[in-house]
Amino acid sequence: MEADGLGLKGFPELKNDTFLRAAWGEETDYTPVWCMRQAGRYLPEFRETRAAQDFFSTCRSPEACCELTLQPLRRFPLDAAIIFSDILVVPQALGMEVTMVPGKGPSFPEPLREERDLERLRDPAVVASELGYVFQAITLTRQRLAGRVPLIGFAGAPWTLMAYMVEGGGSSTMAQAKRWLYQRPQASHQLLRILTDALIPYLVGQVVAGAQIIFAKDGHFALEELAEAGYEVVGLDWTVAPKKARERVGKMVTLQGNLDPCALYASEEEIGQLVKQMLDDFGPQRYIANLGHGLYPDMDPEHVGAFVDAVHRHSRLLRQN
């Protein structure tokens, strides 16, 4: 939306656009890197900032979201920031109650159980105005970033959100949500349509507010379809072999990923070797380095730093050779 210099809201000029150039398939001097959940509980400063208020109150505070988004950038030379928020702000904006239960994760006290429960949901057209606090957080963060790196926005896909709303929380099998698909196909379509109608203006609003890129994650079962769907970047989890993924999508899209986050429990030396292997497999261009999933709360920030540094170091060497 806004590639060069001053954009829609007179944002500061971007100084490091390596991440965006890689996303667009342009040549880069090194491989850009960021981490899913880089603003997370593994950082002591994150835990300190978050201690004062509950999770969704934090999400509703643009000032707090901005601070949490910027914290990992003060520690590590990351090539992108990702706004601190949560995918479940969308079901909340549709009128569902969501609480974050310590040690358990998100919980919906009254999940969708019957077809008639859909009547409880608000009109999807109001969602973007309900989520103004996310747009404010994005705009504030773009200003405070002062052009240092691009800012990523995100949202949960309709099926992901439907699964939470029907299951009442996270689920490994998604059996209740899949049951809806088979037993209530029309209601399922209706719910997915409501979510889609809510998500489109929400994502557009994020871009207008200053977010600079959105990508598809964990879609290896539909890699070819995703590559042709118009995404610039497709994120891979760690179960996909990079060489195979590259063969399947060709040079059409930029791939992102995909080190197993648990590799960060290894020694810093071994992290360097794993990163080197990953970079060799993905190749130097049309690639953004990341983990195959988010950082876990018990990870050592020093090892995150070792991962970021190894990507920058090895990718520069790769280009020299």
Side-chain angles (χ1 to χ4, degrees), residues 193-247:
R193 166 55 50 201
I194 289 168
L195 287 164
T196 304
D197 290 347
L199 285 164
I200 291 169
Y202 178 47
L203 287 171
V204 169
Q206 288 191 37
V207 173
V208 172
Q212 291 157 295
I213 190 166
I214 291 151
F215 59 91
K217 164 179 172 282
D218 286 356
H220 54 83
F221 56 87
L223 256 186
E224 291 84 355
E225 289 86 343
L226 282 171
E228 289 164 14
Y231 287 100
E232 288 162 333
V233 183
V234 175
L236 306 175
D237 67 20
W238 68 92
T239 62
V240 189
K243 280 182 178 164
K244 288 234 166 67
R246 180 56 78 198
E247 279 167 24

Side-chain angles (χ1 to χ4, degrees), residues 141-160:
T141 306
R142 268 298 291 280
Q143 296 290 1
R144 297 244 176 107
L145 274 169
R148 190 169 154 186
V149 291
L151 178 62
I152 302 169
F154 69 94
W159 167 247
T160 309

Side-chain angles (χ1 to χ4, degrees), residues 6-196:
L6 294 172
L8 302 165
K9 300 196 175 192
F11 290 124
E13 191 164 352
L14 194 55
K15 301 185 189 89
N16 172 1
D17 64 352
T18 309
F19 171 84
L20 289 180
R21 289 213 319 275
W24 295 328
E26 296 174 14
E27 294 250 324
T28 58
D29 302 334
Y30 64 90
T31 297
V33 58
W34 66 283
C35 298
M36 280 185 262
R37 292 206 203 123
Q38 61 190 30
R41 285 176 293 169
Y42 73 101
L43 290 175
E45 57 268 40
F46 177 95
R47 296 196 295 272
E48 207 175 303
T49 305
R50 277 271 300 102
Q53 53 192 162
D54 78 88
F55 182 81
F56 286 110
S57 303
T58 306
C59 288
R60 282 189 286 274
S61 160
E63 194 62 53
C65 289
C66 176
E67 168 58 23
L68 293 168
T69 301
L70 296 176
Q71 282 177 350
L73 278 97
R74 296 187 191 122
R75 265 189 194 253
F76 315 117
L78 295 155
D79 294 292
I82 181 161
I83 195 68
F84 177 82
S85 185
D86 195 88
I87 63 170
L88 299 181
V89 297
V90 171
Q92 275 187 332
L94 285 167
M96 291 192 77
E97 189 191 341
V98 192
T99 56
M100 195 59 81
V101 182
K104 182 185 168 225
S107 174
F108 289 70
E110 294 181 38
L112 303 175
R113 284 285 175 248
E114 304 293 331
E115 225 159 301
R116 64 172 181 268
D117 290 342
L118 295 183
E119 292 160 21
R120 301 196 328 238
L121 299 178
R122 286 193 192 121
D123 178 352
V126 305
V127 165
S129 56
E130 287 283 325
L131 295 174
Y133 59 85
V134 179
F135 306 145
Q136 288 166 9
I138 287 172
T139 302
L140 179 65
T141 306
R142 268 298 291 280
Q143 296 290 1
R144 297 244 176 107
L145 274 169
R148 190 169 154 186
V149 291
L151 178 62
I152 302 169
F154 69 94
W159 167 247
T160 309
L161 297 178
M162 173 178 166
Y164 272 104
M165 291 158 78
V166 172
E167 300 282 347
S171 162
S172 54
T173 61
M174 299 191 187
Q176 292 301 322
K178 286 180 178 172
R179 184 178 182 167
W180 267 61
L181 295 182
Y182 287 109
Q183 294 185 352
R184 305 188 177 103
Q186 273 178 301
S188 297
H189 271 292
Q190 192 188 341
L191 176 51
L192 290 167
R193 166 55 50 201
I194 289 168
L195 287 164
T196 304

